[in-house]
Amino acid sequence: MRYRTRVTAPAALLGTVGALSLDSPAHADPATATPGPETLGDSVYPSLGNDGYRVSAYHLDFAYDATTRLVDATATLRITTTQELSRLSLDALGLVIREVLLDGVPAAREQVGEKLRITPVTSLAARTTATVTVTYTADPRAVLAHTAWVPTPDGFAICPQPNSAHTVFPCNDHPSDKADFTFRITVPAGLRGVANGNLVRTEDLADGRTAYCYRSREPMATELAQITVGDYVIKDRQGPHGLPLRDVVPTARAAALEPALALTPNLVSWIEQRLGAFPFETYGLLPCNNDASNAFDFTGLETQTLTLYKPNYLLQAEKNIGSHMMHELVHSYFGNSVSPASWADLWLNEGHADFYGLLYRYERGWTDSLGLTTMEARMKDTYARGDQWRKSSGPVAAPNEANLFDSQRYLGGVLVLYALRRQVGETVFAAIESTFLERFRNASASTADYIAVASEISGTDQSGFLRDWLYGTKTPRMPGHPDWTVTPATSTLRTPQSRPSDPHDNSATL
């Protein structure tokens, strides 16, 4: 896990990108400075991220033109170097770069593949702060190898997970490098701009344009950013303990979506009883104004404080959507507040989200997609599939890019958590969960971190037990269920479940 002390972005960040400018950084010896590594060594996305520095704050200033449907933007990053750097790089794809400044001084730039290489006039010393400002234009409709942009008839939304935030803004695009975020979104009359966190200021500009300024109170991974523009209405309501809830809803569909939106307060109350106080300043739903099958390849996405959905999904009866709404809400704890240290740790996000989403379903008395009504029955069915999933999709905590979002990370992760709870008992399991969330709040954590907490809180070394469940090629025996059996894996590798048409929709809560 990469863990750093959080640096809080000053409120002045919202006034101008210049507020990020600091004193000129110390210079390095040109003879010893080297280019920063253009990777953070992720096992699933080995080219993602950049080493040699860490980002403490982003300020994103977007201006949407409804006529051209283009976005003119400036991304301002405050970074701290971890080594002497003759050059640094940001992840960037599909962005037309206009200018790059390093502490206000023009810097040489080069776009190579999905990297924006920046060469300062003078090399940077280790452990120095600097401000990088990138001015660029983006086309939300551009055809790219992968993209976070979701064009809508009246604007756009974004879905960065897992590796596409850098198609929206230049960044260190990896969940291990969390940072503070502020946003300024300028839109023409009749449209609204919304982003993560709280609205802190609205500016009335010339020609009927309006700038909406948002700030996220807690640090955020790049894959959790949300920026949306459209004809939206903001619907506010109160959650438990005074938690402000805000939904961002297509104006024309607000009345039809209200029954689903009204479910959130009770969902939050239920999960707070199990995982503690909600970890962010607000929560709500964004039914993005696009129901096209190819708009994005999932039903819901947990962008921080504002979960993105396809509107038509939320028009169903509560018993058909409540379990998955809980799944997405749980990501506020597992995935957002505590982010994965690497993408191989995705099971921590999805396994926990499905675990609590299924518990909620069965407690409400709703049958699941297999017609089952208890967690034990579903886990027995999942257990029987264990060896086949390990063969076709790899062990739970050892995914690759092609099978990252297979059921093994979702239901396979649930099975691991179920086994651990059987092993240590419900009381100790609950203590493991709460300790893990508290210890790594606003940071990133790895599978090894979770194993360490499980061992510490249970008072027994759980490393062997959990490693067999998470990395073994054969499904271990289930504690308390010696009668459960595993169906032998077939000799022919099958196509991972639900790929490639809807790779994200392998949740058992759907």
Side-chain angles (χ1 to χ4, degrees):
M1 182 196 77
R2 294 180 173 86
Y3 184 83
R4 58 172 176 77
T5 301
R6 182 184 171 212
V7 179
T8 302
L13 286 180
L14 288 164
T16 171
V17 295
L20 272 173
S21 298
L22 304 172
D23 294 336
S24 297
H27 299 310
D29 183 347
T32 58
T34 59
E38 295 182 341
T39 177
L40 284 171
D42 192 276
S43 62
V44 178
Y45 294 103
S47 64
L48 206 61
N50 306 272
D51 215 347
Y53 66 90
R54 294 294 178 268
V55 183
S56 59
Y58 291 90
H59 178 72
L60 304 179
D61 193 338
F62 278 33
Y64 177 68
D65 187 319
T67 301
T68 65
R69 301 184 70 181
L70 299 178
V71 175
D72 288 323
T74 300
T76 306
L77 293 69
R78 186 170 62 207
I79 69 170
T80 300
T81 61
T82 58
Q83 64 180 72
E84 293 184 344
L85 293 174
S86 61
R87 187 183 74 200
L88 60 95
S89 60
L90 303 175
D91 296 307
L93 174 65
L95 309 177
V96 180
I97 308 298
R98 306 295 184 191
E99 183 180 48
V100 176
L101 303 178
L102 184 61
D103 286 315
V105 178
R109 67 180 190 271
E110 179 186 21
Q111 288 180 266
V112 179
E114 299 189 21
K115 301 294 179 179
L116 171 61
R117 293 174 177 167
I118 301 169
T119 304
V121 174
T122 307
S123 298
L124 300 178
R127 295 176 298 281
T128 189
T129 55
T131 299
V132 180
T133 305
V134 183
T135 303
Y136 62 99
T137 298
D139 182 355
R141 298 164 298 165
V143 177
L144 304 171
H146 58 94
T147 184
W149 295 100
V150 181
T152 64
D154 48 7
F156 62 85
I158 64 171
C159 52
Q161 192 188 81
N163 64 329
S164 294
H166 62 280
T167 66
V168 177
F169 58 99
C171 56
N172 200 24
D173 199 359
H174 195 272
S176 65
D177 195 16
K178 300 175 76 166
D180 291 300
F181 274 78
T182 56
F183 308 83
R184 184 174 184 266
I185 310 164
T186 301
V187 297
L191 299 181
R192 184 183 291 268
V194 182
N196 311 83
N198 282 330
L199 178 67
V200 296
R201 188 170 71 249
T202 301
E203 304 170 13
D204 294 324
L205 307 175
D207 303 323
R209 293 178 302 140
T210 303
Y212 296 91
C213 302
Y214 283 81
R215 181 179 182 178
S216 182
R217 186 187 68 189
E218 310 293 349
M220 187 163 65
T222 52
E223 55 113 357
L224 301 174
Q226 182 55 259
I227 305 167
T228 187
V229 168
D231 180 9
Y232 290 111
V233 60
I234 306 299
K235 306 196 74 173
D236 295 309
R237 69 191 82 230
Q238 191 173 85
H241 314 299
L243 175 70
L245 301 176
R246 59 91 189 251
D247 299 307
V248 181
V249 194
T251 301
R253 308 180 74 170
L257 288 164
E258 177 57 24
L261 306 178
L263 299 175
T264 299
N266 286 336
L267 291 168
V268 174
S269 180
W270 189 92
I271 199 60
E272 283 193 332
Q273 294 173 30
R274 290 150 181 84
L275 297 181
F278 188 76
F280 298 111
E281 65 269 42
T282 185
Y283 183 68
L285 310 187
L286 168 58
C288 159
N289 194 17
N290 192 333
D291 275 306
S293 59
N294 61 350
F296 42 89
D297 57 1
F298 48 84
T299 298
L301 182 69
E302 65 276 12
T303 48
Q304 192 161 304
T305 71
L306 192 60
T307 295
L308 180 70
Y309 278 101
K310 289 183 177 178
N312 280 347
Y313 176 76
L314 295 174
L315 296 178
Q316 301 178 80
E318 180 185 3
K319 66 179 181 179
N320 295 329
I321 62 176
S323 181
H324 194 65
M325 289 179 70
M326 180 61 70
H327 171 110
E328 298 299 345
L329 176 59
V330 170
H331 279 313
S332 295
Y333 298 82
F334 291 96
N336 295 13
S337 179
V338 181
S339 296
S342 74
W343 283 108
D345 302 310
L346 181 73
W347 79 274
L348 286 167
N349 301 14
E350 304 301 347
H352 277 100
D354 257 16
F355 181 83
Y356 291 100
L358 285 173
L359 285 178
Y360 182 72
R361 176 188 290 276
Y362 300 135
E363 185 177 300
R364 295 296 305 274
W366 301 329
T367 58
D368 62 25
S369 60
L370 301 181
L372 303 175
T373 58
T374 67
M375 179 69 87
E376 182 171 322
R378 187 60 186 258
M379 290 299 96
K380 184 177 182 180
D381 178 87
T382 303
Y383 185 82
R385 305 169 190 259
D387 282 3
Q388 183 63 65
W389 284 6
R390 288 169 188 267
K391 184 169 185 177
S392 59
S393 295
V396 174
N400 56 40
E401 182 176 356
N403 63 34
L404 179 62
F405 289 98
D406 282 1
S407 292
Q408 183 71 307
R409 259 45 75 189
Y410 292 74
L411 262 178
V414 178
L415 192 65
V416 173
L417 297 173
Y418 179 84
L420 177 62
R421 190 174 68 165
R422 298 285 307 182
Q423 174 84 345
V424 302
E426 291 190 18
T427 300
V428 173
F429 178 78
I432 291 169
E433 299 281 89
S434 62
T435 301
F436 180 76
L437 289 171
E438 178 60 30
R439 184 166 299 174
F440 297 101
R441 180 172 180 168
N442 295 333
S444 301
S446 67
T447 298
D449 292 322
Y450 188 81
I451 293 173
V453 170
S455 297
E456 174 191 336
I457 300 304
S458 68
T460 305
D461 184 1
Q462 302 293 341
S463 58
F465 176 82
L466 283 172
R467 288 187 180 281
D468 285 347
W469 275 98
L470 290 163
Y471 298 104
T473 58
K474 294 292 184 181
T475 306
R477 291 185 178 276
M478 177 60 70
H481 288 294
D483 57 315
W484 284 13
T485 59
V486 180
T487 303
T490 60
S491 58
T492 303
L493 297 184
R494 63 173 175 83
T495 301
Q497 191 174 23
S498 297
R499 295 191 65 90
S501 59
D502 55 347
H504 288 68
D505 279 353
N506 292 306
S507 170
T509 60
L510 286 166

